[in-house]
């Protein structure tokens, strides 16, 4: 893995242009033109200084910084999981925080302890908490609702982000809510504004998540035939809906549930599928290449699909997709359109979410495997627990969304065209 330093690259370009020695060409570059006179150089420097003073490029740079993903905490930061959890710290700071609505605080604690997982479940819980907060909101005197309420929402978002980093899908939902607040007429009454916002939140949940999942299932079920062996990884909610729906239609197929530590989410999916009478096989991700020769279709979920077709999903998804591609097995990604994002990401290192390192140092039920006990006492040892990975578009056959079945190359078209008409609204 090579990491390129953009600033250093720009510096190398400057060095090569000024006649320095280039790494690719060991011979000194010949000067095609005589050096600038001191008078011309002084004049050029003065013009550059004048342009910087006027702030010619500053607005562009400012807008560009807004699109940069929020920096994630580094895996070797001792403050992130010093005690294995942030719960004691948050409880100590509760009375120091801005006034927090009880519903928001409850959802944040559920994020923190891992009670809420899955992109849709986290987003719905957040929106319901915001709906309760809006219901109890009262505009302070000498303030306007469309200016004060977004500030309140931002404080709630900061708290939730402290409990667990905001996902891309949650970010799109927050963008939707704030845009609806800004669009409220100034003359509207507070009660009418609150009723409108609550109705908008209900409509977003219903149209962009609940109905979208049903549309995805109806599209994807056409790709399941009798005798198929379907493989899925983890416990994606929309894929579970798809498998149960296909079984309800009477289609005969087998399911391979692939799982991995430390969450082992596939075990819950396996129990639910078997309770409904589906024929299943369970294995860990280290046996993926052994079982893949029997598989005819791979259905995976996604936390987000980025503008370059990269699928951002639970760590391990990329490995499953790559092995399926090597065996020439089609890989279908089931993802709602509200999770599409204009960001471009080439790997899972520059932006990711970090899990508790203690969860990968212990094996449940195996107390004899205690080689990593007290690992935090070793200064030269760091454990990295990434929660997501990035699957390149080359390993994805099709993306099934509520806008239909499309190739990964069509994602930027969906984002661009529908955003003009307020896709998330």
């Amino acid at each position: 893995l090579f990491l390129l330093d953009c600033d250093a690259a720009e510096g190398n370009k400057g060095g090569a242009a000024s006649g320095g020695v280039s790494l690719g060409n060991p011979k000194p570059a010949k000067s095609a033109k005589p050096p600038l006179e001191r008078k011309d150089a002084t004049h050029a420097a003065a013009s550059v200084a004048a342009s910087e003073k006027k702030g010619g490029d500053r607005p562009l740079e400012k807008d560009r910084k807004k699109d940069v993903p929020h920096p994630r905490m580094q895996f070797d930061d001792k403050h992130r999981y010093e005690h294995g959890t942030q719960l004691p710290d948050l409880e100590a700071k509760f009375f120091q925080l801005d006034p927090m609505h009880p519903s928001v605080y409850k959802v944040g604690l559920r994020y923190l302890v891992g009670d809420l997982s899955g992109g849709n479940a986290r987003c719905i819980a957040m929106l319901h908490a915001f709906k309760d907060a809006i219901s109890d909101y009262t505009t302070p005197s000498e303030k306007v609702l469309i200016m004060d309420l977004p500030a309140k929402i931002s404080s709630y978002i900061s708290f939730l982000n402290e409990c667990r980093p905001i996902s891309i899908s949650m970010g799109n939902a927050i963008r939707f809510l704030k845009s609806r607040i800004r669009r409220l007429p100034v003359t509207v009454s507070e009660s009418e504004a609150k009723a409108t916002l609550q109705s908008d939140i209900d409509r977003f949940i219903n149209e962009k998540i609940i109905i979208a999942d049903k549309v995805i299932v109806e599209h994807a079920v056409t790709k399941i035939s009798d005798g198929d062996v379907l493989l899925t990884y983890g416990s994606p909610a929309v894929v579970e809906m798809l498998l149960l729906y296909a079984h309800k239609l009477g289609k005969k197929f087998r399911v391979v549930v692939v799982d991995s530590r430390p969450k082992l989410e596939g075990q819950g999916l396996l129990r639910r599928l078997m309770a409904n009478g589906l024929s299943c096989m369970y294995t860990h991700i280290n046996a993926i290449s052994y079982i893949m020769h029997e598989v005819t279709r791979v259905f995976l979920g996604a936390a987000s699909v980025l503008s370059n077709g990269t699928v951002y999903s639970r760590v391990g998804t990329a490995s499953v997709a790559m092995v399926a591609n090597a065996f020439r097995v089609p890989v279908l990604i089931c993802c709602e359109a509200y999770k599409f994002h204009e960001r471009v990401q080439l790997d899972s290192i520059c932006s990711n979410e970090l899990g508790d390192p203690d969860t990968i140092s212990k094996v449940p039920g195996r107390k004899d495997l205690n080689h990593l006990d007290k690992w935090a006492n070793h200064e030269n040892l760091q454990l990295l627990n990434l929660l997501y990975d990035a699957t390149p578009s080359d390993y994805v056959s099709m993306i099934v969304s509520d806008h239909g079945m499309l190739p990964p190359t069509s994602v930027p078209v969906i984002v661009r065209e529908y955003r003009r008409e307020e896709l998330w609204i």
Side-chain angles (χ1 to χ4, degrees):
L1 177 63
F2 294 92
L3 300 179
L4 298 179
D5 188 341
C6 297
D7 295 335
E10 292 295 330
N12 290 337
K13 289 181 180 179
S18 61
V21 179
S22 173
L23 292 177
N25 184 12
K27 297 181 181 180
K30 295 182 180 180
S31 178
K33 295 182 180 180
L36 291 172
E37 296 293 336
R38 182 176 299 177
K39 181 177 180 180
D40 295 337
T42 305
H43 177 72
S47 62
V48 171
S51 63
E52 290 180 353
K53 187 174 182 181
K54 292 179 181 179
D57 293 337
R58 285 182 182 176
L60 294 177
E61 185 68 22
K62 186 176 181 181
D63 293 338
R64 192 178 296 113
K65 288 181 179 180
K66 291 180 180 179
D67 297 331
V68 177
H70 185 74
R72 301 301 190 203
M73 190 164 293
Q74 299 300 314
F75 76 96
D76 55 352
D77 193 327
K78 297 180 180 180
H79 299 289
R80 176 61 174 169
Y81 288 108
E82 185 175 0
H83 304 290
T85 176
Q86 292 173 285
L87 186 58
D89 293 338
L90 283 178
E91 289 177 344
K93 297 177 181 177
F94 178 71
F95 295 103
Q96 302 174 8
L97 298 170
D98 293 334
M100 196 64 52
H101 192 276
S103 296
V104 177
Y105 189 73
K106 181 179 178 180
V107 169
L109 293 183
R110 294 183 68 188
Y111 286 169
L112 188 61
V113 299
D115 187 26
L116 273 175
S117 61
N120 290 341
R122 292 173 61 196
C123 187
I124 291 175
M126 178 192 70
L127 290 176
H128 279 309
F130 288 167
K131 184 180 175 182
D132 293 341
I134 291 173
S135 176
D136 297 335
Y137 171 81
T138 302
T139 308
S141 58
E142 301 181 356
K143 289 190 177 182
V144 184
L145 182 142
I146 60 175
M147 299 297 292
D148 184 67
L149 185 55
K152 281 283 185 183
I153 298 295
S154 296
S155 67
Y156 298 155
I157 296 169
S158 298
F159 171 75
L160 295 178
N161 194 63
E162 284 292 326
C163 298
R164 183 176 176 182
I166 298 296
S167 65
I168 293 177
S169 57
M170 294 168 65
N172 286 335
I174 292 168
R175 183 188 304 177
F176 152 78
L177 178 59
K178 288 189 173 182
S179 68
R180 297 306 297 172
I181 296 174
R182 288 193 299 266
R183 289 188 173 196
L184 291 172
V186 182
T187 56
V188 71
S189 65
E190 181 179 300
S191 59
E192 292 176 349
K194 290 162 62 174
T196 300
L197 293 176
Q198 290 175 318
S199 175
D200 289 336
I201 290 176
D202 289 336
R203 184 162 56 90
F204 183 92
I205 295 174
N206 187 53
E207 294 181 3
K208 301 303 179 184
I209 301 179
I210 298 176
I211 295 180
D213 284 345
K214 294 179 180 178
V215 173
I216 290 173
V217 168
E218 291 177 356
H219 284 309
V221 77
T222 61
K223 297 299 180 182
I224 300 178
S225 304
D226 289 341
D228 275 344
V229 179
L230 310 179
L231 183 144
T232 188
Y233 172 70
S235 180
V238 65
V239 175
E240 180 179 349
M241 292 173 58
L242 167 64
L243 298 175
L244 294 176
Y245 182 68
H247 179 70
K248 184 179 179 181
L249 293 179
K251 296 193 176 187
K252 307 299 181 182
F253 58 91
R254 291 190 295 123
V255 179
V256 178
V257 179
V258 180
D259 210 355
S260 67
R261 293 186 57 244
K263 289 184 176 293
L264 297 175
E265 296 173 315
Q267 294 181 359
L269 174 63
L270 179 68
R271 284 191 289 266
R272 293 189 294 271
L273 293 180
M274 294 187 65
N276 284 274
L278 276 75
S279 175
C280 300
M281 177 186 295
Y282 178 83
T283 185
H284 279 200
I285 195 171
N286 55 324
I288 185 71
S289 60
Y290 176 81
I291 198 66
M292 189 60 74
H293 70 279
E294 300 182 14
V295 177
T296 58
R297 297 281 191 282
V298 174
F299 287 95
L300 301 172
S304 178
V305 179
L306 307 180
S307 186
N308 60 339
T310 297
V311 176
Y312 194 69
S313 189
R314 176 70 65 194
V315 64
T317 302
S319 300
V320 174
M322 290 177 183
V323 174
N325 180 265
F327 280 80
R328 300 184 182 278
V329 177
V331 177
L332 292 84
I333 304 295
C334 299
C335 181
E336 301 84 354
Y338 89 100
K339 294 181 180 179
F340 291 1
H341 200 273
E342 65 271 13
R343 180 192 300 176
V344 173
Q345 190 168 321
L346 302 178
D347 55 46
S348 55
I349 302 299
C350 61
S351 178
N352 209 316
E353 184 180 343
L354 304 178
D356 187 350
D358 284 332
T359 59
I360 61 175
S361 66
K362 301 176 182 178
V363 180
R366 293 294 303 274
K367 295 183 179 180
D368 56 314
L369 299 177
N370 56 358
H371 309 293
L372 291 178
D373 285 353
K374 300 180 181 179
W375 65 269
N377 297 333
H378 299 277
E379 296 182 357
N380 296 329
L381 176 62
Q382 300 291 342
L383 301 186
L384 176 61
N385 181 16
L386 294 179
L387 296 188
Y388 297 96
D389 64 16
T391 304
S393 59
D394 295 340
Y395 303 104
V396 177
S397 306
M398 183 182 297
I399 294 176
V400 187
S401 74
D402 41 321
H403 293 292
M405 294 182 287
L406 45 97
T409 53
S410 297
V411 172
V413 179
I414 296 292
V415 173
R416 182 181 66 248
E417 295 299 325
Y418 283 86
R419 189 172 291 282
R420 294 176 182 174
E421 303 174 4
E422 298 294 335
L423 172 62
W424 320 124
I425 296 177

